[in-house]
Amino acid sequence: MLELTFNGHANFKLSDSKHSIIIDPWFTGNPKALISPSEAGRLDAILVTHGHSDHLGDALELSKRHNAVIIAPNELALFCQRRGAKVHPMNPGGKFAFDFGTVKMTKAEHSSAFIDRGSEYTGVASGFIVDMGGKTLYHAGDTCVFSEMKLLGELHSIDVALLPIGDNYTMGPEEAAKAVELLNPGSVVPMHFGTFEVLEETADRFVDMIRATGVKPIVMAVGQTERFE
Ligand code: NI
Ligand code: MN
């Protein structure tokens, strides 16, 4: 059993009967978030796909609050370590068995830096394939569609894929529909839309476009929890 809770944008919490982890925990400043990071519940690990603020979000605070490891691309993990977090650095293609399950880092075609007054390189952008609670979940991170998604679909039997569909900074509905075809997941949850002005406002066009694939779309409301048995 795997429970998936949507916190808005690309922020998802995963729980099985024993453990909870979060991916791209952006609460503070997230116009879609309904809760503060302190309300996210107990966390065993924090996965961060890349260094942009809408993904790194509240990772450092949550890591310290729960003494939870940050799992991230190498340079981003070291960036977090310099700020006092417990970290586990990875790079695409690598996998590691944690107490809560196995994480494989996947490639994503996107930039990655921590930007405030300057810009600090935080390694490559990534996605994650998480085996937890007997289910396989793919969080694509921020990315365009790429043909190796077909390979990910061959190497992993993906139960649920979380795909960005907002366009402009990531793939839009057309490319995301192609990604669904390549990955062939059991179901797909659209993310990274409706948050910023330039992004696709709703998942309606995406849902229309994947009708022919037979893959089940799950458009999650913020705060909604889906249970995968
Ligand atoms: Ni980004
Ligand atoms: Mn983003």
Side-chain angles (χ1 to χ4, degrees):
M1 181 279 295
L2 181 69
E3 278 185 355
L4 179 70
T5 302
F6 184 44
N7 293 311
H9 199 56
N11 177 344
F12 292 87
K13 184 177 178 182
L14 282 66
S15 300
D16 64 9
S17 52
K18 289 201 188 94
H19 298 99
S20 287
I21 66 170
I22 199 162
I23 306 179
D24 287 354
W26 183 38
F27 294 98
T28 307
N30 180 345
K32 296 282 182 185
L34 297 176
I35 58 171
S36 66
S38 60
E39 296 169 292
R42 193 183 53 82
L43 295 171
D44 298 292
I46 297 153
L47 281 61
V48 185
T49 58
H50 63 292
H52 291 156
S53 58
D54 57 321
H55 299 263
L56 180 62
D58 300 286
L60 288 165
E61 186 201 321
L62 286 169
S63 167
K64 286 170 198 166
R65 179 187 292 268
H66 299 285
N67 191 30
V69 66
I70 293 180
I71 301 164
N74 185 54
E75 289 75 7
L76 176 57
L78 299 178
F79 171 94
C80 294
Q81 189 175 51
R82 288 195 296 278
R83 284 153 183 81
K86 189 165 83 176
V87 302
H88 184 106
M90 296 182 77
N91 245 317
K95 69 172 182 307
F96 190 83
F98 296 90
D99 283 346
F100 63 84
T102 298
V103 174
K104 178 176 180 176
M105 185 168 280
T106 61
K107 84 166 203 177
E109 292 290 349
H110 190 70
S111 61
S112 179
F114 179 79
I115 301 158
D116 48 11
R117 271 163 298 180
S119 178
E120 184 166 345
Y121 173 69
T122 49
V124 295
S126 72
F128 296 107
I129 291 180
V130 180
D131 287 313
M132 182 174 172
K135 296 289 162 189
T136 299
L137 175 139
Y138 173 47
H139 186 301
D142 279 359
T143 188
C144 58
V145 68
F146 48 89
S147 57
E148 295 98 316
M149 281 181 177
K150 187 172 190 317
L151 195 56
L152 292 180
E154 285 170 11
L155 291 171
H156 303 270
S157 176
I158 298 168
D159 294 298
V160 52
L162 317 180
L163 301 181
I165 64 147
D167 226 325
N168 194 78
Y169 295 114
T170 69
M171 54 191 171
E174 295 83 1
E175 285 205 355
K178 187 69 196 174
V180 170
E181 215 181 292
L182 296 172
L183 294 161
N184 192 30
S187 50
V188 60
V189 177
M191 62 174 178
H192 212 279
F193 66 94
T195 327
F196 313 129
E197 227 166 64
V198 291
L199 302 188
E200 182 88 3
E201 268 178 51
T202 73
D204 295 352
R205 289 206 305 126
F206 170 71
V207 169
D208 273 352
M209 274 173 208
I210 66 160
R211 223 173 283 278
T213 64
V215 174
K216 183 187 172 197
I218 304 174
V219 181
M220 294 180 74
V222 177
Q224 186 180 332
T225 298
E226 278 290 314
R227 202 180 155 97
F228 298 90
E229 299 285 354

